């Protein structure tokens, strides 16, 4: 590996805080309660997507109509990142621009899900009943239409990003891996530039059901992430959000006259069994692997799920004493696969816009996976 410096040249952010870098820095610095909808999915609050003028990034109405909400958010944020990197109209650059996307699946057939869950209560043999219904009631074409690689496809179609692409699924760890591989490919000299990020639509009853079955949702109202306790109030509040970054080799960016917003170091990742103390031990090891020195701030992807969040907070107090820690959930809500890219993008914005020399980013999953990345001045 050549170990080339990797710089961030473009950022695209969308969440309940609004769109763009300025809106998110303002939200972070105000520290106010993020915009929350506590009624639509009561008793589960959600941080809703902002109102977007989609024509600005997705000009064709036909493209807008064929996408679901999570795809529109992602394609929009990707367009913002390309604009910021100054390559939106550079067809030759985009033809060689690689793409890595982290995202979950799309919406489900709610009527079928409801019928299956209702019938399951009375089924004499629940296992056999479930297998039969899944085989006979689900439409394969619906499932195939919701695969996360369609986000990558729509970014390619709408924005003309036609380099090689890959997609990751698997909650928070998927976002960590997307960012890790994107950075590593540029640093190693395999490619010169890559667009990386993800999107998540939280305003869906099916995801509420999925996460509530695991006991992961905070209810009935908003509370800051690090103040959620295990007395029935822990868990995450889902947020509709998207984040994309354009990463380039420093010399390649300079050659095309692109402005470097920040440098992004190797992304360190791990996966523990989540025994007591395992998250703290993992973060300590990842801190060293990511070569984090003395961060001026920490952006944490902590979910609010107990006891993991408390363990992360205690570890961060030891690893970054005196550095302010901001939970992404208190700015944009929790976006699962989007957590790591969103944290890195917000850190790059802090470095560039607020002059911070170094920001550490964490992404600790609610069930599995840990990641740490160092973002510093360009």
């Amino acid at each position: 590996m050549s170990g080339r410096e990797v710089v961030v040249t473009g950022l695209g952010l969308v969440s309940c805080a609004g769109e763009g870098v300025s809106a998110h820095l303002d939200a972070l610095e105000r520290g106010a309660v993020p915009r929350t909808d506590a009624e639509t999915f009561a008793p589960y609050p959600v941080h809703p997507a902002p109102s977007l003028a989609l024509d600005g990034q997705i000009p064709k109405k036909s493209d807008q109509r064929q996408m679901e909400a999570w795809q529109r958010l992602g394609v929009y944020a990707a367009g913002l990142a390309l604009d910021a990197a100054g390559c939106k109209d550079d067809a030759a650059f985009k033809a060689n621009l690689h793409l890595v996307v982290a995202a979950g699946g799309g919406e489900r057939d709610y009527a079928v899900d409801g019928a299956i869950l209702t019938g399951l209560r009375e089924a004499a043999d629940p296992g056999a009943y479930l297998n039969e219904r899944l085989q006979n009631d689900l439409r394969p074409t619906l499932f195939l239409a919701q695969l996360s690689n369609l986000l990558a496809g729509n970014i390619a179609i709408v924005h003309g990003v036609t380099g090689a692409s890959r997609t990751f699924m698997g909650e928070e760890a998927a976002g960590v891996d997307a960012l890790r591989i994107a950075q590593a490919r540029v640093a190693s000299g395999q490619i010169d530039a890559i667009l990386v990020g993800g999107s998540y639509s939280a305003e869906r009853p099916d995801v509420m059901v999925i996460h509530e079955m695991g006991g992961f949702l905070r209810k009935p109202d908003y509370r800051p992430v690090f103040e959620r306790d295990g007395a029935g109030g822990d868990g995450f509040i889902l947020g509709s959000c998207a984040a994309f970054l354009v990463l380039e080799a420093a010399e390649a960016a300079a050659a095309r006259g692109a402005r470097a917003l920040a440098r992004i170091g190797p992304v360190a990742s791990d996966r523990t069994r989540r025994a007591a103390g395992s998250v703290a031990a993992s973060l300590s090891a990842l801190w060293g692997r990511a070569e984090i020195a003395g961060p001026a701030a920490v952006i944490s992807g902590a979910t609010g799920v107990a006891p993991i969040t408390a363990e992360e907070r205690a570890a961060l107090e030891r690893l970054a004493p005196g550095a302010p820690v901001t939970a992404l959930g208190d700015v944009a809500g929790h976006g699962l696969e989007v957590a790591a890219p969103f944290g890195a993008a917000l850190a790059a914005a802090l470095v560039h816009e607020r002059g911070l020399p170094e920001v550490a980013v964490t992404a600790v999953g609610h069930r599995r996976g840990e990641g740490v990345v160092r973002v510093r001045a360009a």
Side-chain angles (χ1 to χ4, degrees):
M1 293 178 65
S2 62
R4 298 191 300 178
E5 287 282 358
V6 180
V7 297
V8 181
T9 57
L11 298 173
L13 293 171
V14 175
S15 77
C16 63
E19 67 172 276
V21 167
S22 295
H24 287 85
L25 287 179
D26 288 347
L28 184 152
E29 291 165 349
R30 285 199 317 270
V33 174
R35 192 164 60 91
T36 307
D37 176 0
E39 303 297 329
T40 304
F41 304 102
Y44 310 110
V46 65
H47 300 300
S51 177
L52 299 173
L54 292 174
D55 291 0
Q57 296 296 341
I58 312 173
K60 293 184 179 179
K61 297 292 186 183
S62 58
D63 287 336
Q64 295 177 22
R65 286 194 297 269
Q66 65 88 20
M67 297 181 202
E68 289 181 343
W70 63 284
Q71 295 181 50
R72 289 193 291 270
L73 288 170
V75 174
Y76 194 94
L80 293 177
L82 294 171
D83 275 335
C87 60
K88 186 74 169 293
D89 299 321
D90 189 338
F93 179 86
K94 292 187 297 182
N96 294 301
L97 182 62
H98 289 234
L99 175 63
V100 180
V101 168
E107 296 181 12
R108 296 178 60 87
D109 189 325
Y110 303 143
V112 169
D113 285 348
I116 290 175
L117 289 171
T118 299
L120 200 58
R121 296 174 180 172
E122 309 295 331
D125 186 342
Y129 170 85
L130 182 61
N131 285 337
E132 181 182 357
R133 296 276 61 82
L134 291 176
Q135 290 177 20
N136 296 328
D137 296 355
L138 294 184
R139 291 175 287 150
T141 53
L142 176 71
F143 175 77
L144 293 173
Q146 315 312 323
L147 291 177
S148 58
N149 57 13
L150 276 188
L151 175 56
N154 277 313
I155 290 172
I157 291 169
V158 173
H159 297 308
V161 177
T162 54
S165 68
R166 62 182 71 185
T167 309
F168 292 86
M169 297 178 69
E171 300 172 335
E172 297 90 352
V176 173
D177 272 347
L179 195 61
R180 177 178 62 83
I181 288 174
Q183 193 278 344
R185 294 198 68 202
V186 176
S188 69
Q190 293 180 23
I191 56 176
D192 286 334
I194 194 164
L195 176 65
V196 56
S199 66
Y200 188 80
S201 174
E203 298 159 82
R204 298 161 40 187
D206 57 311
V207 296
M208 299 295 175
V209 171
I210 291 169
H211 295 299
E212 176 60 9
M213 286 194 295
F216 297 123
L217 293 182
R218 158 76 187 177
K219 55 184 183 292
D221 54 13
Y222 169 82
R223 188 176 180 87
V225 169
F226 289 115
E227 295 178 17
R228 298 172 195 172
D229 55 37
D234 65 304
F236 48 74
I237 299 176
L238 294 169
S240 294
C241 57
F244 274 86
L245 308 88
V246 177
L247 305 184
E248 298 185 56
E251 61 268 30
R256 73 176 187 91
R259 177 184 56 175
L261 307 178
R263 288 184 287 176
I264 185 167
V267 180
S269 64
D270 194 10
R271 182 182 173 115
T272 67
R273 292 185 179 275
R274 293 297 168 83
S278 63
V279 168
S282 176
L283 285 174
S284 295
L286 295 176
W287 214 255
R289 285 167 50 193
E291 300 176 353
I292 295 174
V298 177
I299 302 296
S300 167
T303 62
V305 172
I308 299 164
T309 296
E311 191 172 320
E312 177 181 347
R313 182 57 188 267
L316 291 177
E317 290 175 353
R318 175 175 52 81
L319 293 167
V325 178
T326 300
L328 278 177
D330 295 335
V331 177
H334 191 54
L336 295 162
E337 285 91 350
V338 190
F342 206 112
L346 194 54
L350 281 171
V351 166
H352 179 68
E353 298 287 343
R354 299 297 186 262
L356 273 61
E358 178 182 328
V359 178
V361 180
T362 70
V364 176
H366 65 288
R367 291 190 298 143
R368 58 193 173 208
E370 298 85 43
V372 170
V373 60
R374 178 191 188 194
V375 180
R376 54 200 171 109

